[in-house]
Amino acid sequence: MNNLIFFLPVLVSFLGGVILFFLPPQTQRFKRIFNLIISLVLFIIGIKIFLAVIHNGSYVLTLSIFNISLSFMVSFFASLVLMVLFSLTLLVAIFSLNLVNFVIDEQRFNKFYAYFQWTLTASSIVLLTDNLVVLLVFWGAIAILLYLLILMGKPGASQAAYKTLVMIGGSDVLMLIGAALVYYLAGSATLSDIRLSLNSSLSILAFILLLIGVLTKSGAVPFHTWIVDASESAPSPVLVLYPGIIDKVLGIYLLTRLCLDWFTVYSGSAMSIVLMSIGGLTVIIGSAMALVSKNLLRLLAYSTISQVGYMVLGIGSALPLGIIGAIFHMFNNTIYKSSLFFTAGVVEAQGKETDFLKLGGLARFMPITFITSFIAALAISGVPPLNGFFSKLLIYQGIINIGSSPQGWYFVIFIIAAMFGSVLTLAYFLKMIYAVFLAPRAKNTAAIAIKEPSWSAILPMLVLSILAIGFGVYAKFPLSLISKLSFQTYYDFTAELYPVVNAKWAVVLIISAIIIGLIIYFMMKSKRVKESAVFIGGEAVSPDKTAVSQQEASYSGADFYESVKDMKIVADAYRVADKKVFDIFEQGKNLIGQIVKVGKKIHSGLLQTYLGWLFLGVIAIIAIFFFLLLR
């Protein structure tokens, strides 16, 4: 096959972005269609690259531009991730065909399509390059594009965009320092030549610096807070593109390569325990905050954070089964989380709200959206036989396998954290489904004609729902690809895992339960029932009461689990979290503010103050001189 095809993702997306950037604002409809065509072309190219690597193995290529040689290595893992990336971004392009429904002002979104394609350009280079410097340059470019896209969101989005740029940009600076240490230790910037052991202070420092950058982009605790702010401000296509797809796919891809290819992390080592601790905390903190969230976008943001924790747990186990589960969970997460962010965009566009108190009853008007979101919610909660169940099962098994070693007693802590997080996930998604789709519609909600969105919004959600079911019922297929293509030199899990992933009986039982439930529902519905008055505090709320009283008689679902915040054991933790004590950005801003205040006092503009500092400086210099002389 002509090697040109491996450079086409970069060329097509970049040139397409240039054209989209210079097209005038009056050509919005043409931009949407042109963006869709480019995304479709990239999808086809991604499949062709994947098939080429399947048949012929990895490719090592060199591209010379102006006497500068750029090395590319198209591995099994990279080609698989690239195909998944282009598949999902094609759905985003379809969803964005009616972009005016999902943003406040379409004119503010004039450059979205150009930034969309340039994001794919930078992502393709990150996946395909074999040079550490090139990787970091385009990793930083993705952060800048994210900043520009968040700016296009709701009023006040500039603060969220600024916070995102500072946190991700700051972590990118640390990655540059880590990369410099890697170059010093390995003597090469070629990624395929880097293989370091964590047996020296410099190599450990380099690993930690690179790890911070990867975890910040992925949204792991304590570098997660930018995702929450961005989710509440950015338009829904941006939410699907970045927190839903780009950050998770690229972040976990780099974390996997960091721990398996560039450095060596062994199960039971200090770095393995550190990674698993971060993963466990991310699962618990993300789930706990989602549990008490009263806003759809905020709940999905914390849910995104908690799912990253499972991936970090699996990779941190440093055992093949856990790593395979983490990668499978990465793909699964992009499927059901993209569907949920699509749902949030549709709900906001149709209902004009994301506050649970002002939503409710949408299942009656949007049955397809309800069904797809319900499937996604069950999948992310790990309900069999959907895809999320099997990826979590592998991660659990990877953690349990740690206990087979004499020093692996600590696995109990992490398996409890992972399973407790799954319970919380199911709890808060039941809350979301009820509050948005099943609860009585708020009486004080403005009268809006709510209906299903256009086909371009429904189609991506339907496709993702089918994938969530298919990758669960037929989990053998994606797991075979991941194991054989990405980990063939590490582990053959077939004999151990295939009996576990046989989901046929689970499908039969669940379908039977649904049929029985529907029969009972219709039988109960056909009977005459007695209607009784609603009571609050012993007083009946009759139909002639005020609208406020009737509203009090309903239960929106927004206050599900609110009593958890009143439990003494966790009340203080929630109170501290509400004050943003765990927000690195806010704490850093406060620290810099205090330093600035001290600096203002020092630089008062008074001559006497400067003379005093000069005098103290001279004394310090003299003291140092005599100390060195006497020593």
Side-chain angles (χ1 to χ4, degrees), residues 529-598:
V529 295
K530 178 183 177 181
E531 293 186 6
S532 299
V534 179
F535 289 83
I536 296 180
E539 290 187 29
V541 179
S542 59
D544 59 345
K545 293 276 184 158
T546 63
V548 175
S549 296
Q550 293 180 35
Q551 177 62 24
E552 289 173 352
S554 65
Y555 195 66
S556 69
D559 295 322
F560 268 35
Y561 320 119
E562 190 65 17
S563 58
V564 172
K565 297 182 75 172
D566 299 328
M567 295 172 59
K568 187 172 180 59
I569 193 170
V570 295
D572 291 337
Y574 274 115
R575 196 176 302 114
V576 170
D578 290 339
K579 293 180 180 179
K580 298 187 176 182
V581 173
F582 302 126
D583 191 330
I584 289 179
F585 176 81
E586 293 296 333
Q587 296 308 313
K589 187 171 68 173
N590 293 337
L591 177 62
I592 293 173
Q594 294 300 321
I595 294 172
V596 170
K597 286 183 180 179
V598 174

Side-chain angles (χ1 to χ4, degrees), residues 222-297:
F223 315 106
H224 64 288
T225 53
W226 69 268
I227 289 183
V228 181
D229 289 24
S231 296
E232 293 182 309
S233 302
S236 53
V238 176
L239 295 180
V240 182
L241 182 63
Y242 271 88
I245 300 174
I246 298 292
D247 294 335
K248 300 302 165 289
V249 170
L250 294 187
I252 301 305
Y253 166 80
L254 283 188
L255 179 61
T256 305
R257 295 205 62 190
L258 184 67
C259 296
L260 293 183
D261 296 338
W262 306 332
F263 292 87
T264 305
V265 177
Y266 296 103
S267 180
S269 65
M271 204 52 65
S272 170
I273 295 173
V274 167
L275 277 170
M276 294 188 73
S277 299
I278 293 172
L281 282 172
T282 303
V283 168
I284 297 299
I285 291 175
S287 299
M289 294 304 295
L291 192 69
V292 296
S293 296
K294 298 183 179 181
N295 184 286
L296 176 58
L297 293 174

Side-chain angles (χ1 to χ4, degrees), residues 57-295:
S58 300
Y59 284 79
V60 178
L61 309 165
T62 302
L63 177 65
S64 296
I65 303 176
F66 303 116
N67 294 325
I68 299 175
S69 295
L70 300 176
S71 56
F72 289 79
M73 187 178 74
V74 189
S75 64
F76 288 120
F77 190 22
S79 65
L80 177 61
V81 174
L82 190 72
M83 182 182 66
V84 171
L85 178 67
F86 288 154
S87 302
L88 292 168
T89 51
L90 173 61
L91 296 179
V92 179
I94 296 172
F95 184 78
S96 303
L97 280 175
N98 285 295
L99 195 58
V100 69
N101 295 326
F102 309 110
V103 294
I104 296 171
D105 182 1
E106 191 176 14
Q107 295 302 316
R108 293 168 59 189
F109 233 59
N110 183 37
K111 304 300 181 185
F112 166 75
Y113 302 102
Y115 298 152
F116 179 96
Q117 292 300 330
W118 288 340
T119 296
L120 297 182
T121 303
S123 300
S124 300
I125 293 175
V126 168
L127 289 171
L128 300 177
T129 186
D130 197 31
N131 185 281
L132 181 59
V133 176
V134 174
L135 184 149
L136 291 178
V137 168
F138 286 93
W139 181 262
I142 293 172
I144 295 172
L145 289 165
L146 173 58
Y147 167 77
L148 294 172
L149 286 169
I150 295 176
L151 278 178
M152 297 175 178
K154 305 168 187 175
S158 57
Q159 182 62 30
Y162 171 72
K163 181 175 183 176
T164 299
L165 184 63
V166 169
M167 291 191 69
I168 295 180
S171 70
D172 287 351
V173 172
L174 296 180
M175 288 188 76
L176 285 172
I177 300 172
L181 291 175
V182 167
Y183 180 77
Y184 172 76
L185 293 169
S188 173
T190 303
L191 293 173
S192 55
D193 294 338
I194 297 173
R195 188 71 177 176
L196 300 173
S197 297
L198 295 170
N199 55 3
S200 68
S201 56
L202 278 182
S203 62
I204 292 173
L205 178 60
F207 178 84
I208 291 173
L209 292 173
L210 291 172
L211 180 66
I212 290 173
V214 171
L215 293 180
T216 303
K217 185 67 73 68
S218 302
V221 171
F223 315 106
H224 64 288
T225 53
W226 69 268
I227 289 183
V228 181
D229 289 24
S231 296
E232 293 182 309
S233 302
S236 53
V238 176
L239 295 180
V240 182
L241 182 63
Y242 271 88
I245 300 174
I246 298 292
D247 294 335
K248 300 302 165 289
V249 170
L250 294 187
I252 301 305
Y253 166 80
L254 283 188
L255 179 61
T256 305
R257 295 205 62 190
L258 184 67
C259 296
L260 293 183
D261 296 338
W262 306 332
F263 292 87
T264 305
V265 177
Y266 296 103
S267 180
S269 65
M271 204 52 65
S272 170
I273 295 173
V274 167
L275 277 170
M276 294 188 73
S277 299
I278 293 172
L281 282 172
T282 303
V283 168
I284 297 299
I285 291 175
S287 299
M289 294 304 295
L291 192 69
V292 296
S293 296
K294 298 183 179 181
N295 184 286

Side-chain angles (χ1 to χ4, degrees), residues 459-470:
L459 180 61
M461 294 189 289
L462 287 173
V463 170
L464 293 170
S465 297
I466 293 170
L467 290 175
I469 297 171

Side-chain angles (χ1 to χ4, degrees), residues 496-514:
E496 179 179 348
L497 189 64
Y498 274 9
V500 179
V501 300
N502 192 339
K504 293 178 182 177
W505 280 111
V507 175
V508 172
L509 291 173
I510 288 175
I511 292 175
S512 301
I514 292 173

Side-chain angles (χ1 to χ4, degrees), residues 10 72 111 193 248 273 304 350 357 378 385 391 446 487 595:
V10 177
F72 289 79
K111 304 300 181 185
D193 294 338
K248 300 302 165 289
I273 295 173
T304 299
Q350 299 296 316
L357 287 169
L378 293 179
S391 54
F487 294 90
I595 294 172

